[in-house]
Amino acid sequence: MSQSPAILSTQNLVKEFQGFRAVDGVDLNVREGTVHALVGPNGAGKTTLFNLLTGFLPASAGRIALGGRDITGQPPEHIARLGVARSFQVTSLFAEVTACAHVELALQATAGLGRSFWRSDKQMRRFTSRAMELLDQVGLARHATRSAGSLPYGHKRALELALALALDPKVLLLDEPTAGMGLEDVDRTVALIGRVREDRTVVMVEHNMNVVGSLADTVTVLQHGRVLAEGPYRDVRSDPKVVEAYLGADVA
Amino acid sequence: MIRFVVTRLEAHPAWVRWGLLAAGLLLAFGLPWTLYPPVATDILCWALFAVAFDLLLGHAGLLSFGHAAFWGTSAYATGLIAIHSGLPFYAAVLCGAVAAAVLAVPIGFLGVRRSGIYFAMVTLAFAQMVYFVANQWSGLTGGENGLQGIPRTLPGVDLSDSFVFYYAALPVVLLGLLAAWRVVHSPFGRVVAAVRDNPARARALGYPVDRYKVVVFTISAFLSGLAGGLYAVNHGFASLQEVYWTTSGKVVVMTVLGGIGTLWGSLIGAGVIVRLEDWLATAGFDEVGLVTGGIFIVVVMLFRRGLWGTATHLLRRRFGALSEDTGEKHRPEHDREAPSQPVPS
């Protein structure tokens, strides 16, 4: 594969919680247009790394750059507006708002209508058809008028994905996009990520190795907050260090 | 007959809302016929204040315990402008509300960095500073004596009769209520509700949540200022009471009594409290706080949604679609378990 330039990179990134280093000197280079998977056992620092990349946690040390621009210390809303959208591992939605209104809210964020306090919210209907398209893509068209709180877990995950896609981001960060989904939904999500990666970069935390294997160009294995191995999936999965540390008896 | 009406209303839930609106307007226009007119105007002012407060508490989820700062600042500013400029009282009230909004920007800016009880404490601290300034700067505010002799100026109209003044004040209040309703049901209002429910998710979508909170805080302060300015003109007088913490507390009681987040419930809360205080004072009962406080406790313990909130909850269960908020917010509970039906497209 050709080496495209890094769109999202970190240099010696550290996050320390009261003496405990959750992320301990990570150098990450996510190349533009690739799907980059972060894997590792629980507590390896994957979600912390996500929170650092999206500004939800301040870094203790190190640098984060997006397309060559230093974004260390930027608040989450700035990073989102620079074209980095994320989903949350623990589903994070507005419980009483319908699925369709969720996506409308996300579409409105990029359109800048949200500042209008003198207009009717009927203005938001201009986003409805696009919102329905996105819901259809993630398989939620039938549930558009249901409140997010009433959706089953797998559908909530799909809605998370629709929200991130609604921002039309350059970089899509997905925290366990298929967790809790049934087999059929996993296949649809994998196909969807395969489609949306055409014109963007995807970074995902994922435990399902079938998903990682079928989507990821590059896999970074984290352990104890450090990078244990990095490379194409087939190389990483046969790396003895990785086999010992993480994949264990399942794969070896 | 009743059965017929009920079935018609079930078929057309919008009629219930128009009916309630018509009843509310009728009540608003008829109020000074049934009450001592200055008290009727007081109800108007407190009603707008309580709705402005609910915009912040119910829809943005921010509990301010210093809203007297905005009500009172506008009362003084309106009074000073009315006394010294001779402008029509509408202009004076508008300037007073702008003064309240200007004050709200720095307070909101510093306050929204904290949430919950800390936000309440920050706003209380600022309101106490405003009280201190009003008390010390007696050359301007009259200190303990208050600001006396605020005129009801309107060229060509004699407003000295409180009955007439009520109808001069009513449009201001109705416009203020309309503004609050518009803000709640605007694209901005949707974002504010989202920020209240899940600030982290709103930030991930790219919404600067603190800025939204400051803006809604400022709008609330502006509307509170409209109310406070009108109140000062109504009484021809602005006193330290207007910036005292008990005024901040009173508006909290009204909003909670009516029902947090219902907007119109605050009107009822304000009406009940002002009417009750007037009645008790007339009867020569001094411990007004004992009674309003007692009612407050009973309502909080028994009707958690407040008077209006409880009433609409019961009505909504009866009529299904009668919804006060953004429509989709109140899906029926039984939707939760129902299997989803395919929608023909």
Side-chain angles (χ1 to χ4, degrees):
Chain A
M1 182 192 325
S2 65
Q3 294 283 313
S4 49
I7 187 163
L8 187 63
S9 62
T10 69
Q11 268 179 22
N12 195 27
L13 195 64
V14 175
K15 180 63 195 179
E16 197 171 302
F17 296 106
Q18 295 169 339
F20 168 68
R21 291 194 158 205
V23 171
D24 191 4
V26 168
D27 294 303
L28 192 70
N29 279 294
V30 178
R31 282 174 289 112
E32 192 165 1
T34 61
V35 175
H36 195 127
L38 298 175
V39 302
N42 286 328
K46 305 180 299 284
T47 295
T48 305
L49 185 56
F50 253 45
N51 285 332
L52 291 168
L53 291 174
T54 48
F56 277 88
L57 284 173
S60 307
R63 295 256 154 251
I64 307 166
L66 176 69
R69 173 179 176 176
D70 190 346
I71 57 164
T72 320
Q74 295 275 330
E77 59 269 26
H78 283 195
I79 294 172
R81 287 186 173 264
L82 290 172
V84 180
R86 70 169 294 181
S87 70
F88 289 81
Q89 180 187 17
V90 178
T91 309
S92 173
L93 299 163
F94 311 109
E96 293 179 330
V97 177
T98 64
C100 187
H102 266 86
V103 185
E104 285 173 8
L105 199 68
L107 291 167
Q108 178 189 251
T110 44
L113 185 68
R115 287 184 286 269
S116 314
F117 57 77
W118 56 93
R119 292 200 188 137
S120 166
D121 57 6
K122 293 193 175 79
Q123 293 274 338
M124 291 179 75
R125 285 182 191 164
R126 71 173 81 158
F127 304 118
T128 306
S129 64
R130 176 71 186 130
M132 288 305 296
E133 258 175 58
L134 284 162
L135 288 176
D136 191 38
Q137 280 187 26
V138 299
L140 284 182
R142 290 191 306 154
H143 308 292
T145 58
R146 283 181 67 179
S147 63
S150 71
L151 292 172
Y153 185 74
H155 288 167
K156 284 180 180 162
R157 308 292 313 166
L159 184 53
E160 286 266 336
L161 188 58
L163 281 187
L165 286 176
L167 300 179
D168 193 20
K170 284 188 291 197
V171 182
L172 188 58
L173 301 186
L174 303 173
D175 202 346
E176 301 193 19
T178 65
M181 283 186 180
L183 269 183
E184 174 197 327
D185 288 334
V186 171
D187 288 346
R188 181 182 29 239
T189 305
V190 169
L192 177 61
I193 296 172
R195 274 204 307 281
V196 301
R197 63 160 297 179
E198 293 294 323
D199 45 1
R200 45 177 71 85
T201 308
V202 179
V203 184
M204 59 182 201
V205 169
E206 186 55 64
H207 283 299
N208 186 329
M209 284 305 138
N210 292 328
V211 174
V212 172
S214 58
L215 284 172
D217 301 305
T218 311
V219 178
T220 297
V221 185
L222 291 171
Q223 191 190 23
H224 305 310
R226 294 167 191 265
V227 175
L228 186 69
E230 187 172 277
Y233 177 66
R234 61 180 180 282
D235 295 355
V236 167
R237 66 175 287 182
S238 55
D239 186 317
K241 276 185 301 185
V242 176
V243 172
E244 184 195 333
Y246 174 60
L247 298 174
D250 291 351
V251 177
Chain B
M1 177 62 196
I2 291 169
R3 197 182 178 80
F4 174 74
V5 171
V6 166
T7 44
R8 297 303 293 167
L9 288 180
E10 276 175 341
H12 301 276
W15 291 7
V16 180
R17 310 173 81 171
W18 288 112
L20 283 171
L21 182 65
L25 283 173
L26 204 65
L27 186 68
F29 279 96
L31 206 58
W33 263 289
T34 58
L35 286 178
Y36 181 49
V39 174
T41 310
D42 275 0
I43 290 179
L44 284 188
C45 297
W46 281 102
L48 178 57
F49 189 22
V51 167
F53 185 78
D54 191 35
L55 179 64
L56 191 66
L57 177 61
H59 292 273
L62 294 170
L63 171 59
S64 161
F65 208 76
H67 251 44
F70 309 120
W71 162 275
T73 295
S74 174
Y76 280 114
T78 301
L80 288 167
I81 290 163
I83 291 169
H84 296 295
S85 76
L87 284 171
F89 86 93
Y90 289 120
V93 169
L94 189 64
C95 292
V98 169
V102 168
L103 178 68
V105 174
I107 296 178
F109 185 77
L110 293 168
V112 299
R113 271 133 228 287
R114 297 279 171 269
S115 58
I117 192 72
Y118 298 102
F119 179 79
M121 289 298 118
V122 169
T123 49
L124 174 62
F126 276 106
Q128 289 302 95
M129 278 167 61
V130 171
Y131 175 80
F132 180 78
V133 170
N135 193 12
Q136 293 296 311
W137 201 354
S138 53
L140 190 71
T141 64
E144 295 274 347
N145 297 323
L147 188 65
Q148 310 269 355
I150 300 171
R152 294 176 185 169
T153 315
L154 191 63
V157 186
D158 178 16
L159 293 177
S160 56
D161 184 349
S162 283
F163 185 82
V164 178
F165 180 70
Y166 177 90
Y167 289 100
L170 185 60
V172 178
V173 172
L174 291 180
L175 282 175
L177 297 179
L178 190 66
W181 178 82
R182 168 44 76 223
V183 169
V184 168
H185 297 276
S186 70
F188 171 84
R190 292 266 193 107
V191 180
V192 166
V195 167
R196 173 197 64 200
D197 291 343
N198 193 338
R201 167 47 87 185
R203 297 185 86 180
L205 294 178
Y207 289 113
V209 300
D210 283 355
R211 209 178 306 161
Y212 275 88
K213 287 182 187 171
V214 173
V215 172
V216 75
F217 188 74
T218 306
I219 294 172
S220 170
F222 177 83
L223 295 175
S224 303
L226 276 186
L230 271 184
Y231 186 84
V233 176
N234 183 37
H235 290 261
F237 179 67
S239 74
L240 285 175
Q241 181 67 42
E242 266 56 88
V243 283
Y244 199 47
W245 67 266
T246 52
T247 297
S248 300
K250 197 159 139 182
V251 77
V252 177
V253 170
M254 287 173 176
T255 299
V256 174
L257 196 62
I260 296 169
T262 60
L263 218 57
W264 309 133
S266 307
L267 300 175
I268 294 177
V272 167
I273 294 287
V274 173
R275 188 77 189 82
L276 196 67
E277 284 186 345
D278 177 57
W279 184 68
L280 289 171
T282 312
F285 187 76
D286 288 333
E287 300 302 327
V288 175
L290 213 60
V291 177
T292 53
I295 292 175
F296 179 68
I297 290 169
V298 169
V299 168
V300 168
M301 302 292 282
L302 296 182
F303 311 104
R304 205 169 37 80
R305 298 163 204 268
L307 297 174
W308 179 256
T310 304
T312 50
H313 179 66
L314 294 175
L315 277 175
R316 198 172 287 129
R317 288 219 313 224
R318 188 75 188 81
F319 296 116
L322 174 70
S323 110
E324 186 62 24
D325 281 291
T326 46
E328 62 277 349
K329 269 200 71 179
H330 295 281
R331 306 293 301 174
E333 297 273 327
H334 54 75
D335 208 2
R336 201 147 292 195
E337 299 301 329
S340 47
Q341 300 294 321
V343 178
S345 52

